[in-house]
Amino acid sequence: MRKNVIIIDDVKEQAEGLDKGLSKLMPHYSFDNYHSEEGILDAIENRFFSLAIIDIRMDEFSFDGIDLAKKIFEVNPFSHVIIISAFKDEYFLRLKDLFLTGKVVDIQDKEDFETWLPKLKNTIENYYENIEKDPSEINNALLQFYSEAKNETDTYRKGEKFEHFMSLMFQSIGFNQVLKRVKDKSLNEVDLIIRNDIEDSFIGKFGKYILVECKNMPVTKVNKNDFIVFQNKLKNTNGLAELGIIATTGFITKNTYIEAVRESGESRKILFLSNPEIEKLIKAENKLSTFKNLIDNQVKDN
């Protein structure tokens, strides 16, 4: 798992100072800081992180750190939090409920950076050491989200949940930012756009972005027309995206694979992820390696 940590504080100087100090102490970790309401909420929804350092008290915000921790646990099954505050007694009862989730790594008082940064460093390193010893928590969370998406009965929520699951899946592979339901200038909607910033020479060849079409249709098959419509979206990216992915809880028709073979001379590639491929990714210990193998296999087949 990539060691991405976000820092949330309502005071800009505090957030940036903590980011700078930890980045210097821990150069092999990735830290990002957020200190505005809009930036914080966007990060929780769209950025990949497995640990959040959250200030509990946020003056003049519409939420506090406990509200944010609950939101994080709701949308990001991989993440845990470190709570920081000088007002623990004031929030005692709500903190007690938060600890019952099992996702609070520690609660620490704010101190001067010279004293505090080594303590935070030790807490963060211990957290990631424990995660690396037992990656099953991530796979179980993904499997639960996938089951919930497939079993959802409300049509709108069904699509939304599957898109969220696929976003989490790509984040677990190692992609840092996934945007949902993006419209281009021609008003073509793309379910997910992945920023291809992963540090891998093979994946890096597919352009700056990867487009994903999500179809939560367990009893319906993706057909040739679905492929053609999505392929046109991929063509209209001005070369910024050369890999597209059609992900479905259902199956792919034979004529769709035939169409993919017919278009195989194109520089752009469309990868199919149906039930068997998705389950392989969920269960994989090395999800990036499995993802690359799936691309290899379909390049040979198509």
Side-chain angles (χ1 to χ4, degrees):
M1 173 180 279
R2 289 175 65 172
K3 298 173 181 178
N4 292 64
V5 183
I6 65 171
I7 298 164
I8 296 174
D9 199 302
D10 61 326
V11 179
K12 178 181 178 181
E13 292 75 15
Q14 180 79 19
E16 291 178 346
L18 202 53
D19 185 339
K20 184 178 180 180
L22 287 172
S23 295
K24 186 175 181 179
L25 274 180
M26 310 173 76
H28 299 300
Y29 289 67
S30 174
F31 294 93
D32 291 295
N33 72 86
Y34 302 93
H35 42 78
S36 69
E37 285 206 28
E38 182 180 359
I40 290 168
L41 294 175
D42 179 70
I44 289 174
E45 288 285 345
N46 296 311
R47 299 289 294 182
F48 171 67
F49 59 95
S50 41
L51 184 63
I53 301 171
I54 305 176
D55 184 15
I56 199 171
R57 183 166 176 172
M58 298 192 173
D59 295 329
E60 300 182 7
F61 276 36
S62 61
F63 47 73
D64 59 27
I66 294 177
D67 296 325
L68 288 176
K70 291 178 179 177
K71 178 69 173 175
I72 287 170
F73 300 157
E74 178 186 340
V75 303
N76 187 339
F78 313 138
S79 190
H80 289 61
V81 300
I82 298 173
I83 298 290
I84 54 175
S85 181
F87 305 95
K88 289 183 291 188
D89 293 342
E90 183 180 333
Y91 294 90
F92 175 75
L93 291 178
R94 294 174 67 204
L95 279 172
K96 185 178 178 182
D97 292 337
L98 205 62
F99 267 99
L100 293 176
T101 64
K103 288 181 171 288
V104 179
V105 176
D106 197 9
I107 180 166
Q108 298 186 3
D109 290 317
K110 288 185 176 181
E111 303 179 68
D112 64 90
F113 280 178
E114 187 175 340
T115 303
W116 186 27
L117 288 177
K119 293 181 181 179
L120 269 177
K121 176 179 182 290
N122 184 61
T123 301
I124 294 167
E125 288 176 338
N126 287 340
Y127 165 74
Y128 279 104
E129 284 175 10
N130 291 331
I131 288 293
E132 288 172 353
K133 288 176 184 175
D134 184 15
S136 63
E137 182 179 353
I138 295 169
N139 293 351
N140 290 338
L142 282 171
L143 184 59
Q144 180 183 338
F145 265 67
Y146 187 48
S147 299
E148 289 177 1
K150 291 178 71 173
N151 294 331
E152 177 61 53
T153 56
D154 179 84
T155 303
Y156 178 80
R157 288 284 295 155
K158 194 173 187 69
E160 189 180 55
K161 281 190 173 182
F162 186 51
E163 288 167 17
H164 184 58
F165 161 75
M166 290 307 303
S167 173
L168 293 170
M169 173 66 81
F170 289 116
Q171 290 171 6
S172 74
I173 289 171
F175 295 101
N176 192 39
Q177 183 162 348
V178 182
L179 301 177
K180 301 172 186 174
R181 301 211 173 183
V182 180
K183 287 187 178 181
D184 63 20
K185 291 181 180 179
S186 63
L187 299 183
N188 284 321
E189 185 171 85
V190 179
D191 291 333
L192 302 176
I193 294 183
I194 301 169
R195 182 185 291 174
N196 191 10
D197 57 359
I198 201 165
E199 293 181 4
D200 183 273
S201 58
F202 175 73
I203 300 297
K205 294 177 181 178
F206 289 107
K208 297 183 183 298
Y209 298 94
I210 299 169
L211 308 190
V212 185
E213 187 83 1
C214 299
K215 295 187 177 296
N216 192 1
M217 309 180 300
V219 297
T220 306
K221 294 183 178 181
V222 172
N223 60 42
K224 173 182 173 180
N225 288 337
D226 296 321
F227 175 86
I228 292 171
V229 170
F230 182 59
Q231 186 183 51
N232 286 331
K233 292 180 182 180
L234 195 60
K235 287 179 179 178
N236 291 331
T237 63
N238 292 323
L240 292 175
E242 296 187 7
L243 176 63
I245 297 169
I246 297 178
T248 177
T249 54
F251 302 92
I252 314 290
T253 61
K254 184 177 180 179
N255 68 354
T256 306
Y257 285 108
I258 292 172
E259 183 67 20
V261 172
R262 185 178 293 120
E263 297 292 334
S264 60
E266 293 279 342
S267 60
R268 292 168 291 272
K269 174 66 183 171
I270 293 180
L271 175 70
F272 300 117
L273 296 180
S274 57
N275 264 306
E277 292 82 16
I278 290 172
E279 290 181 6
K280 280 183 183 178
L281 284 169
I282 290 174
K283 296 174 182 177
E285 289 190 14
N286 188 327
K287 290 181 171 42
L288 176 58
S289 177
T290 301
F291 181 60
K292 289 162 66 175
N293 287 338
L294 289 173
I295 297 174
D296 286 339
N297 291 337
Q298 290 193 27
V299 166
K300 286 186 290 184
D301 294 341
N302 296 340

